[in-house]
Amino acid sequence: MSKSILSAREDFPILSQTINDLPLVYLDNAATTQKPQAVIDAISDYYRTSNANIHRGNHSLAIQATQAYENVRKKVAAYINAASAEEIIFTRGTTEAINLVAYSFGEAFVQPGDEIIVSQLEHHSNYVPWHLMCQRRGATFRVIPFDENGELDLLALQQLVNKRTRLLAVNQVSNSLGTVNPIGQIVKMAHEANVPVLVDGAQAVQHTVHDVQAMDADFYAFSGHKMYAPMGVGVLYAKRKWLEKLPPFLSGGEMIDQVTPEKVTFNVLPYKFEAGTPNVADVIGLGAAIDYLNQFDFAELEAYEDELLEYGLGLLSEIPGLKVYGNPKKRSAILPFNVEGIQHYDMGILLDSKGIAVRTGQHCTQPVMDALHITGTVRASLALYNNHADLEALARGVARVIRLLKR
Ligand code: PMP
């Protein structure tokens, strides 16, 4: 039987803290999630019992640490339904995963006059690396706009794709509006024109059922720290055919086969893309986070979080002068808003004085804010341990700030 979602909160020790003498209401999960005790224990157990450098050693600890690390690769592959563990590359996070593809793919496949398409809904980490790659390669940077509901304009995408398009980069869920993009449809449109797709799953992999083979993404990137795992570890999934063709991104130890003054040859997959000593402890923490998540029924988890989101949107919409941004057909875990006449930054500081943690500003999505003609939003974002009481505290907190500043 799967674990009850309502029991999750007690697994996260940090949530029982007080902030400014009030119980912590943590609603900044899109920035990073908190960690369950099982993840914290896995990291400290690793350092207490198994720490060694992996792959190269032949002593017991090195073998133990290597096995633990490689087991997590298999867990990640199963978690996102990759065809094989060799298609899983450990990185520092989504940002590094996307940079890896932008560099390696750019070097191998992008020529002057070629085109790259990204969406206007992207986090800077799925925007800037492509911008820079276009500058390096003499390629043209194209952007799919979004409409008044915060949904991508797929007709515009249809018109943007052409024979010079080399790659499309798009997120599964927008971190500033929460829009769930129709990834299946987008991938299909791109593939019909022979264009590979990189999907940024940073705001999706912890909330929705995930299957990279069904999605048919060529590349899929995500961060551990947004899925209850430690900071400093992330994943690049890529179809084997691409990993075989792409040159390495970082080079050094472990990623080589032969090294002579004349020539360097590369290690097999996935090691060709993992130069140097990896972040073993946090990879093991990621494995513990996946074990933790696998205790839940994911359809149930998604339904629970969707209900929470609707509840929160309902409460916020009753507050006079409050505007929620975007109205996509499907939204996930993000409540972006502003109150007329109140700076988002001031709202954040005053909510914090009541123990409520939200994020304010541009959320690393300046193109989204520019399109909305605003400098930023207040963003409350959800995780599986949030509940109605958290959202009621948020709504009360916002109403209090309005009373305070508008008296
Ligand atoms: N993409 C999206 C959609 C994100 O929300 C984030 C983090 N806010 C990133 C990419 C970057 O992730 P990281 O900083 O963990 O590399």
Side-chain angles (χ1 to χ4, degrees), residues 271-282:
Y271 310 111
K272 173 179 150 190
F273 292 99
E274 289 183 7
T277 300
N279 185 353
V280 182
D282 293 326

Side-chain angles (χ1 to χ4, degrees), residues 18 194 334:
T18 54
N194 268 328
I334 307 271

